Amino acid sequence: NAGVTQTPKFQVLKTGQSMTLQCAQDMNHNSMYWYRQDPGMGLRLIYYSASEGTTDKGEVPNGYNVSRLNKREFSLRLESAAPSQTSVYFCASSGPGTAGEEQYFGPGTRLTVT
Amino acid sequence: ILNVEQSPQSLHVQEGDSTNFTCSFPSSNFYALHWYRWETAKSPEALFVMTLNGDEKKKGRISATLNTKEGYSYLYIKGSQPEDSATYLCAFGSNYQLIWGAGTKLIIKP
């Protein structure tokens, strides 16, 4: 099992460009999450999907959109990248989807916006 | 606004010594408390998920306790080894979401 995979691993964008971060899990998990991690701060939830067909905003959703394409895949889109979106992005998944289940993380995407 | 505080921010410990650090979280709307270990250049990995007041969990030399009434959890490492060097994250679970602390960075000195 690959667990949670993310692509790309690194990306450099110019301000105003768009891109989509891809995430897939092969553990048959219901819930998937997108986080960003900035120095000195905890992981901050951008969006989550409690089950296939649903998505909800997290703590920092502005400037992002998501798509839960199917049970396996959850993508994060930056429509017009800004320097403030320079960060490391992690995708995670968990089983039934409540906060009582451990989350499994992908390897992360390091994004730089110039 | 829900806030999760971890202390200390960083900790240098001599190899072989035992250590502990703290996670403080809201005492209302509690669902679960998670501990994760995050090694440099890797992804966070779950250590424990605790849901009941008074829970104690153990994995090898690492253990954790939970007090939901006063809103804190302790993580203990007994006999620290170089491979314990990592950032330890806690997260407060309420409904579907986790609110994360900024982590305690543990450095083991040989």
Side-chain angles (χ1 to χ4, degrees), chain A residues 35 42 90 97 99-101 103 106-107, chain B residues 32 34 36 43 49 95-96 98 100-101:
Chain A
Y35 293 98
F90 286 97
E101 295 295 320
Q103 295 186 5
Chain B
H34 295 227
Y36 288 74
S43 306
V49 179
N95 202 8
Y96 286 99
L98 295 183
W100 296 80

Side-chain angles (χ1 to χ4, degrees), chain B residues 48-82:
Chain B
F48 307 113
V49 179
M50 297 183 286
T51 56
L52 297 175
N53 184 44
D55 254 355
E56 291 188 29
K57 298 233 173 172
K58 188 174 180 183
K59 188 180 286 189
R61 294 178 292 100
I62 303 177
S63 60
T65 60
L66 177 67
N67 183 324
T68 60
K69 293 184 179 176
E70 295 181 43
Y72 65 84
S73 175
Y74 293 131
L75 189 79
Y76 300 91
I77 301 179
K78 188 176 176 182
S80 302
Q81 299 298 308

Side-chain angles (χ1 to χ4, degrees), chain B residues 3-107:
Chain B
N3 208 28
V4 176
E5 301 282 345
Q6 289 189 249
S7 62
Q9 266 189 314
S10 65
L11 192 54
H12 289 73
V13 173
Q14 199 69 41
E15 182 178 351
D17 286 353
S18 297
T19 188
N20 64 85
F21 23 93
T22 308
C23 174
S24 301
F25 54 87
S27 52
S28 59
N29 296 320
F30 177 85
Y31 195 95
L33 193 284
H34 295 227
W35 281 101
Y36 288 74
R37 172 192 162 85
W38 192 358
E39 292 181 70
T40 303
K42 294 188 177 180
S43 306
E45 291 185 352
L47 286 170
F48 307 113
V49 179
M50 297 183 286
T51 56
L52 297 175
N53 184 44
D55 254 355
E56 291 188 29
K57 298 233 173 172
K58 188 174 180 183
K59 188 180 286 189
R61 294 178 292 100
I62 303 177
S63 60
T65 60
L66 177 67
N67 183 324
T68 60
K69 293 184 179 176
E70 295 181 43
Y72 65 84
S73 175
Y74 293 131
L75 189 79
Y76 300 91
I77 301 179
K78 188 176 176 182
S80 302
Q81 299 298 308
E83 59 265 29
D84 296 328
S85 293
T87 296
Y88 291 84
L89 302 174
C90 75
F92 166 80
S94 180
N95 202 8
Y96 286 99
Q97 300 187 36
L98 295 183
I99 309 298
W100 296 80
T104 292
K105 185 171 184 176
L106 177 64
I107 298 164

Side-chain angles (χ1 to χ4, degrees), chain A residues 4-11 19-24 34 73-76 89 91 106-110:
Chain A
V4 181
T5 57
Q6 289 182 236
T7 56
K9 289 192 175 169
F10 301 93
Q11 184 72 51
M19 78 162 295
T20 300
L21 282 63
Q22 307 286 353
C23 174
W34 276 106
E73 298 171 288
F74 189 38
S75 62
L76 178 72
Y89 291 85
C91 176
T109 296
R110 187 173 293 275

